[in-house]
Every structure is written in C-alpha cells, then in structure tokens.
Amino acid sequence: MLDMQAMRDRLETERQQVLEEIAELDRRLEVKPDYSLGAGDPAVYQWEFNLALRQQAQEKLEEIEDALRRLDEGRYGICEKCGGKIEWERLDLLPTTRFCATCAQSKS
Ligand SMILES: [Zn+2]
C-alpha cells in the first residue's frame, strides 16, 4: 500500500537534508583556492571536489522537488512512460523515480 503522506514526509526530510548540505558546501566554496598553484594542489582539488558535490546535491534537490510536485498533482507513483503504477518496492528504494521497473530497464 502506497502511503502518500509517509512518502511526502520522507521527501520533505530528504529535501531539508539536501538544502543543509548545499548551504554547507556553499560556505566552503566561498573561499576560492589559489589556482596559480595548479590543479594538483590539494586546496584546488578539494574545491573542485566540493563543486562536484554541490552539483550533485543540486540535481538531487531538483529530483526531490519534482517528486513533491508530482505528489501535489496526484501523479506520484505513476510511470511517465507507460502510465502504469510504479511498484511500491521500487518507490521505497527510489522515492524520486519517474518510471516503473520495466520502463526504466528499456531505456529508449
Ligand atoms: Zn512504465
């Protein structure tokens, strides 16, 4: 049984965590390293690494917000490709997925 309220709570919690993660990364990214040291310098490497994490977190945030939007619009848990119901087990593992297991496998 798909408990929409529980799923919404879960997504909201995840959203909050990602927002905190982004805020923390933004703080670290404020101080730009000295690029004249070269890309191999640990400070430059760390900064680039944080930037990559920041981009990942941003993508995750967008996926979560997209899922919350689908919940609002009553489209959550419906496969965007075939219109069928997404397996509950799958949503439990991947709360932001937009496709059922069958459609996700046939990437076309
Ligand atoms: Zn499908």
Side-chain angles (χ1 to χ4, degrees), residues 9-75:
D9 289 349
R10 193 171 145 185
L11 286 163
E12 291 282 5
T13 306
E14 264 192 59
R15 179 170 174 271
Q16 211 49 47
Q17 283 167 352
V18 176
L19 283 173
E20 280 166 28
E21 198 182 324
I22 288 175
E24 173 61 27
L25 287 166
D26 277 345
R27 262 195 299 281
R28 291 190 209 167
L29 287 167
E30 262 173 33
V31 188
K32 273 219 170 197
D34 183 357
Y35 267 85
S36 67
L37 296 170
D41 184 77
V44 173
Y45 177 79
Q46 189 61 50
W47 197 87
E48 297 274 341
F49 185 69
N50 283 335
L51 188 65
L53 288 179
R54 172 74 172 74
Q55 279 159 358
Q56 275 175 24
Q58 184 65 39
E59 279 167 28
K60 196 173 172 197
L61 180 65
E62 280 162 22
E63 278 178 18
I64 293 168
E65 290 186 335
D66 199 49
L68 284 166
R69 204 172 308 129
R70 290 198 302 278
L71 265 171
D72 283 339
E73 294 169 358
R75 290 185 291 123

Side-chain angles (χ1 to χ4, degrees), residues 7 10-11 14 63 67 70 76 90-98:
M7 196 47 99
R10 193 171 145 185
L11 286 163
E14 264 192 59
E63 278 178 18
R70 290 198 302 278
Y76 187 79
R90 184 170 160 77
L91 286 170
D92 197 33
L93 286 171
L94 299 165
T96 60
T97 190
R98 288 151 51 219

Side-chain angles (χ1 to χ4, degrees), residues 79 81-82 100 103:
C79 175
K81 203 165 165 189
C82 70
C100 70
C103 291

